[in-house]
Amino acid sequence: MVSQNVVVPDATTGIITVSNSSVFTPSAQKPPTAPGHISISKKKLLKSLEINGDQSQRLNSWVDSMRASSPTHLKSLPSLSSEEELNSWMKQHPSALDMFERIIEASRGKEIVMFLDYDGTLSPIVADPDRAFISSKMRRTVKKLAKCFPTSIVTGRCIDKVYSFVKLAELYYAGSHGMDIKGPTKGFSRYNKDKPSVLYQPAGDFLPMIDEVFKQLVEKTKSTPGAKVENNKFCLSVHFRCVDEKKWSELALKVRSVVKNYPTLKLSQGRKVFEIRPMIKWDKGKALDFLLESLGFGNSSDVFPIYIGDDRTDEDAFKLLQERGQGLGLLVSKFPKDTNASYSLQDPLEVMDFLRRLVEWKQIQQ
């Protein structure tokens, strides 16, 4: 945890609020409203598409990155589809199912704490993000998991949206890539029985700006068939999973044309999605650290965090675990990727299998 955090329990509500002025970058003032559309040449457009000020980043490399993030394109890349490279990658990041006994051995004498991404981890990646439903079997598995270990869902989605999918009050939820954190509903989890509820929103000052940019992106992208803008409260997502690949470069230009007018927001890219977030010193790794602190494991050597995720934003959590020298990260992927995770699982079905085995092991121990 960063030293500037100040935890103040409210005696009347029992809610913990946290202030941390250091998470905000300088000049976080609201920039002027984006100007109207101006017709300029394609050459100038290409020149202006410099993501977050990186002069070397151009449209072609950005679109190549969009292609690379797509599983359908990963299959077509010879270097990734080769059996030799896959075998080499699996040696570095073996299946967590195959290595289950070793994982359990490493956790002995320590408290396991679970952190789970949502899309691509608990639910499959689907064309319509509003229909990324968790299966009833997965919900039951996560419910049992939460009875055995403190369990959090750490997602880019807003809390209300992911809760509408999961519907489990006994979990900790970290939405908006960890910028909106809430603890379990009182009485639903034995892990917060003697603790005040947790509430942390380090990007609260950005809400008006996020709403403003959301409206602009909706207007800007409405002419691109298949594009969907999602308001995740403290961040935004522009999904292009249903956009014709021939329109990807056009969409990238539209998104960039809006975001470039807001210097305190950053644009990044995940699995067929653009992410727009406040430029603050906060990510899924910081959220993991905060939750461990809230659970009383901030400086403990007797904790074993396990984080399972499938996207680039989960790498911050994997890296944090490496830096702490505690626990491990599990990457959900069928294809070789650069990652800080220790082990791998292929898909949500394997994730469910792994979680079930953890529950069964814990029940035997009790």
Side-chain angles (χ1 to χ4, degrees):
M1 288 297 297
V2 290
S3 58
Q4 292 86 347
N5 280 342
V6 180
V7 182
V8 185
D10 187 311
T12 58
T13 63
I15 293 178
I16 286 181
T17 57
V18 183
S19 64
N20 184 346
S21 59
S22 70
V23 298
F24 295 98
T25 55
S27 305
Q29 296 85 4
K30 182 177 177 181
T33 304
H37 175 72
I38 302 175
S39 177
I40 58 177
S41 68
K42 182 178 179 181
K43 183 176 180 180
K44 287 185 178 180
L45 284 172
L46 290 173
K47 186 176 181 180
S48 69
L49 192 75
E50 294 159 354
I51 307 303
N52 296 328
D54 184 353
Q55 298 297 316
S56 65
Q57 193 75 23
R58 295 290 188 268
L59 178 60
N60 289 340
S61 61
W62 191 241
V63 174
D64 285 344
S65 178
M66 292 166 74
R67 292 194 183 101
S69 71
S70 164
T72 57
H73 284 90
L74 283 170
K75 293 176 184 177
S76 66
L77 294 174
S79 62
L80 293 180
S81 62
S82 69
E83 185 175 346
E84 182 178 341
E85 182 165 349
L86 178 59
N87 290 339
S88 175
W89 187 83
M90 288 299 296
K91 287 181 180 178
Q92 297 176 38
H93 311 284
S95 167
L97 294 175
D98 293 342
M99 306 301 291
F100 186 79
E101 294 303 326
R102 181 177 294 184
I103 293 171
I104 291 301
E105 187 59 35
S107 72
R108 290 197 186 279
K110 302 177 181 179
E111 177 73 43
I112 292 177
V113 182
M114 298 299 302
F115 299 90
L116 309 168
D117 182 27
Y118 183 75
D119 294 278
T121 300
L122 297 181
S123 74
I125 297 292
V126 295
D128 183 355
D130 288 334
R131 300 189 63 81
F133 302 120
I134 188 173
S135 70
S136 57
K137 289 183 179 180
M138 181 67 90
R139 181 181 291 106
R140 287 195 298 269
T141 300
V142 175
K143 187 177 182 66
K144 291 177 181 177
L145 184 76
K147 290 181 179 179
C148 298
F149 314 103
T151 301
S152 306
I153 291 182
V154 187
T155 174
R157 302 267 196 160
C158 70
I159 287 181
D160 290 344
K161 171 66 76 173
V162 77
Y163 185 83
S164 72
F165 289 146
V166 180
K167 299 176 182 175
L168 293 175
E170 55 265 54
L171 305 182
Y172 289 81
Y173 289 89
S176 301
H177 298 290
M179 289 181 283
D180 190 10
I181 300 177
K182 289 183 180 179
T185 303
K186 273 293 184 182
F188 280 83
S189 173
R190 63 187 178 94
Y191 298 106
N192 74 333
K193 186 165 50 177
D194 300 321
K195 299 182 178 69
S197 297
V198 175
L199 172 64
Y200 186 31
Q201 298 175 336
D205 290 351
F206 283 85
L207 279 176
M209 185 188 298
I210 292 294
D211 289 339
E212 180 179 307
V213 175
F214 171 70
K215 293 174 183 176
Q216 291 186 34
L217 286 171
V218 169
E219 180 66 25
K220 199 78 171 178
T221 63
K222 67 181 183 181
S223 61
T224 303
K228 182 178 180 63
V229 185
E230 184 176 11
N231 190 335
N232 297 311
K233 191 172 182 178
F234 295 101
C235 60
L236 302 170
S237 300
V238 181
H239 300 272
F240 57 90
R241 184 165 297 277
C242 296
V243 175
D244 189 317
E245 189 173 329
K246 295 177 182 178
K247 297 284 187 178
W248 284 4
S249 58
E250 175 187 314
L251 180 62
L253 288 168
K254 290 178 178 180
V255 173
R256 171 59 183 158
S257 71
V258 173
V259 178
K260 71 179 182 180
N261 295 296
Y262 295 84
T264 57
L265 298 181
K266 63 179 177 180
L267 174 63
S268 59
Q269 186 215 323
R271 293 180 64 180
K272 286 197 173 181
V273 62
F274 292 119
E275 304 279 6
I276 297 95
R277 290 185 279 169
M279 280 190 182
I280 63 173
K281 297 175 183 178
W282 199 262
D283 51 41
K284 288 185 175 182
K286 295 287 196 306
L288 185 157
D289 216 9
F290 175 84
L291 285 165
L292 286 175
E293 183 86 17
S294 300
L295 287 163
F297 295 116
N299 298 310
S300 174
S301 59
D302 297 327
V303 63
F304 194 83
I306 298 178
Y307 188 106
I308 308 178
D310 75 310
D311 208 351
R312 293 179 181 179
T313 56
D314 298 309
E315 291 298 324
D316 293 316
F318 297 152
K319 185 177 180 181
L320 186 279
L321 291 178
Q322 283 190 342
E323 291 172 351
R324 288 179 65 104
Q326 293 177 312
L328 49 86
L330 278 59
L331 175 69
V332 184
S333 178
K334 294 182 179 180
F335 309 99
K337 294 181 181 180
D338 289 334
T339 182
N340 291 299
S342 303
Y343 299 105
S344 63
L345 294 165
Q346 289 206 356
D347 51 38
L349 287 176
E350 286 203 352
V351 171
M352 184 165 60
D353 191 7
F354 179 82
L355 298 182
R356 282 177 171 174
R357 291 178 67 176
L358 273 180
V359 170
E360 291 169 359
W361 170 80
K362 183 66 173 181
Q363 289 173 341
I364 292 173
Q365 303 303 306
Q366 292 175 337

